[in-house]
């Protein structure tokens, strides 16, 4: 009954993902210095920040690829900061990596089935849904992934994540290296998936388009959260405008 | 013409063993991310286990074969944590450190074989394994039952391996890790567990090779492992490291070349000539005939 609210529902209830005081270092370099964020079920949350701000590090720590030095990550009520990646994927986190990251020499179908590695008993149902959203992948399912265009690879990468039946999709810089018209398609797809019930945490340098698609956002600067708010608030924030929206 | 046909059969049967060994070696390189230089030495150790069990059981073939395959699987899987530990200590995936582990393993096994089995003398396998009288003989050239068997079993084993690699869940995970280990981890493939599966699978192939080599050569000696290790490494590099199809072609070709030299020229020079041929190939194509796939 949130009709007096705007379309961006305010976060309520129990967060699906809660990151508290997370610190990550690469040798002497502190990539994250006590970052705290929350993602609630049904949200699209965007991480905005320049190159090197720690966006990719944050996403890869949540999945379990990059070990954390301090802090906690709670997903779906369970602590996951010390768990291996394959356990976290089983629990329902998936990452769509920067630069598409598909297996170029393997077929589209092989790529999709790799996403469902722990979950092959439901593969037919999941394939049907994924092909419903991405009919182009059905047409190209026997092709080798390197023959796909950049946009198609990004779709394959998202579709592969969906094959793992995730509750939370982490998407790292989906717009990098894609033509503007394709970027619009990708954001439309992410919003469509969000309407289907998927919760999405996304990192973007393309702040304007990302904020237009998202409910809430966090601004990351050199490993710390400097600002947070609804997408609307961030879009109209003078600091954000100056630093990230080129206005 | 008969000599030619006989030597082609002999060459293909020898080559099918090189193919099995090169495939096991490449699998460990691609999936477990190690250079197991001494993989063929482990195979020769299993050949000795086969011999011991045959002697102890009054030449019970089934038990001998089972012991050969099982010992090879166990030796491979048991070595996995050592390789993993060394890699982990060095931080990232580091094939150089694994090569030293592998060489050490090879030296230890060769020394054990030359001290503890048959006083270090070569061992001979009984006729019920090697097949007894030759199928046919022309002068010094003959085709043995064991040779035909090793060709047939080698062909079946390699085909089964490729079916596993391209048609099964485990095979898909193997290919994903071999293409991009970090990407495979990211999509949720358990890297360590899948790596250990690859040790077990190369153990199975090594155990089968142990039986086939016994059938083909009728004997084994402590130095056999090093000789095979050199050839398998050469086959893999000439084909292109990690290239499974390349290993298949070059392994068969090396077997045939050696057999033809033995059939038409001085047989005792076959190793030297074969290595000269490979030297020329590697000078002409430094990344191997089929390209490196690691």
């Amino acid at each position: 009954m949130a009709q007096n609210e705007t379309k961006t529902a305010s976060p309520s209830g129990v967060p699906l993902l809660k990151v508290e005081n997370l610190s990550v270092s690469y040798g002497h370099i502190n990539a994250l210095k006590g970052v705290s964020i929350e993602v609630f079920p049904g949200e699209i949350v965007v991480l905005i920040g320049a190159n090197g701000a720690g966006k990719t590090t944050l996403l890869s720590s949540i999945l379990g690829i990059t070990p954390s030095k301090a802090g906690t990550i709670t997903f779906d009520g369970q602590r996951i900061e010390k768990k291996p990646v394959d356990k976290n994927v089983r629990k329902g986190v998936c990452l769509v990596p920067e630069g598409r990251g598909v297996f170029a020499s393997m077929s589209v179908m092989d790529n999709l089935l790799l996403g469902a590695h722990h979950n092959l008993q439901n593969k037919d149902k999941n394939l049907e849904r994924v092909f419903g959203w991405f009919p182009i992948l059905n047409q190209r399912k026997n092709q080798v992934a390197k023959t796909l265009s950049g946009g198609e690879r990004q779709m394959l990468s998202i579709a592969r994540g969906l094959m793992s039946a995730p509750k939370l999709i982490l998407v790292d810089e989906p717009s990098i290296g894609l033509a503007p018209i394709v970027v619009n398609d990708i954001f439309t797809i992410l919003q469509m998936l969000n309407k289907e019930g998927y919760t999405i945490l996304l990192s973007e340098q393309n702040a304007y388009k990302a904020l237009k698609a998202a409910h809430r956002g966090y601004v990351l600067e050199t490993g710390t959260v400097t600002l947070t708010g609804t997408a609307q608030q961030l879009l109209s924030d003078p600091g954000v405008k100056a630093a990230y929206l080129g206005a | 013409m008969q000599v030619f046909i006989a030597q082609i059969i002999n060459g293909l049967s020898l080559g099918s063993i090189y193919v099995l060994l090169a495939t096991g070696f490449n699998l460990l390189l691609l999936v477990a991310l190690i250079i197991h230089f001494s993989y063929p030495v482990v195979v020769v150790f299993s050949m000795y286990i086969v011999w011991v069990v045959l002697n102890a059981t009054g030449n019970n073939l089934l038990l001998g074969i089972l012991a050969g395959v099982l010992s090879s699987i166990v030796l491979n899987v048991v070595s996995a944590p050592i390789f993993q530990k060394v890699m982990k200590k060095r931080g990232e995936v580091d094939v150089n450190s694994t090569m030293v582990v592998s060489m050490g393993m090879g030296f230890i096994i060769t020394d054990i074989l030359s001290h503890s089995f048959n006083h270090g003398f070569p061992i001979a396998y009984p006729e019920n394994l090697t097949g007894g009288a030759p199928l046919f003989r022309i002068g010094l050239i003959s085709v043995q039952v064991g040779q035909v068997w090793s060709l047939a079993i080698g062909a079946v084993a390699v085909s089964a391996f490729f079916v596993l690699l391209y048609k099964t869940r485990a095979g898909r995970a193997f290919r994903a890790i071999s293409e991009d280990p970090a990407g495979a981890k990211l999509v949720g493939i358990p890297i360590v567990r899948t790596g250990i599966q690859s040790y077990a699978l190369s153990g199975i192939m090594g155990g089968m090779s142990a039986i086939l080599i016994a059938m083909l050569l009728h004997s084994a000696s402590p130095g056999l492992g090093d000789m095979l290790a050199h050839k398998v490494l050469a086959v893999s590099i000439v084909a292109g490291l990690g290239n499974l199809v390349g290993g298949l072609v070059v392994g068969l070709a090396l077997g045939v070349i050696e057999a033809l030299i033995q059939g038409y020229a001085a047989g005792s020079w076959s190793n030297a000539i074969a290595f000269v041929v490979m030297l020329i190939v590697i000078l002409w194509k430094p990344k191997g005939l089929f390209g490196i796939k690691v």
Side-chain angles (χ1 to χ4, degrees), chain B residues 25-48:
Chain B
F25 171 84
N26 276 329
L27 183 66
L28 288 172
L29 175 61
L30 292 169
V31 183
L33 310 172
I34 65 170
I35 291 197
H36 199 353
F37 176 79
S38 301
Y39 169 65
V41 183
V42 178
V43 171
V44 172
F45 188 82
S46 289
M47 289 180 72
Y48 272 73

Side-chain angles (χ1 to χ4, degrees), chain A residues 6 78 90 92 96 119 148 164 187 199 226 242 245:
Chain A
T6 54
Q78 284 174 299
R90 256 171 215 276
V96 179
N119 186 26
L148 301 183
S164 71
F187 279 115
T199 306
T226 53
L245 302 177

Side-chain angles (χ1 to χ4, degrees), chain A residues 125-197:
Chain A
K125 193 187 77 194
N126 286 332
L127 275 174
E128 197 181 316
R129 282 165 50 150
V130 163
F131 285 151
W133 292 323
F134 306 102
I136 188 78
L137 296 181
N138 195 9
Q139 288 169 36
R140 305 208 189 287
K141 63 184 170 195
N142 296 319
Q143 274 177 238
V144 175
K146 68 179 156 213
T147 63
L148 301 183
S149 72
E152 288 165 355
R153 280 194 206 196
Q154 185 67 71
M155 288 183 207
L156 175 57
S157 190
I158 294 170
R160 186 183 63 194
L162 293 171
M163 288 298 289
S164 71
K167 291 176 191 151
L168 172 67
I169 310 174
L170 311 171
V171 190
D172 196 8
E173 304 271 6
S175 74
I176 266 191
L178 293 180
I181 188 157
V182 184
V183 174
N184 290 341
D185 287 346
I186 297 296
F187 279 115
T188 308
I189 287 166
L190 291 177
Q191 282 179 296
M192 182 268 297
L193 290 173
N194 179 246
K195 287 207 178 70
E196 296 278 342

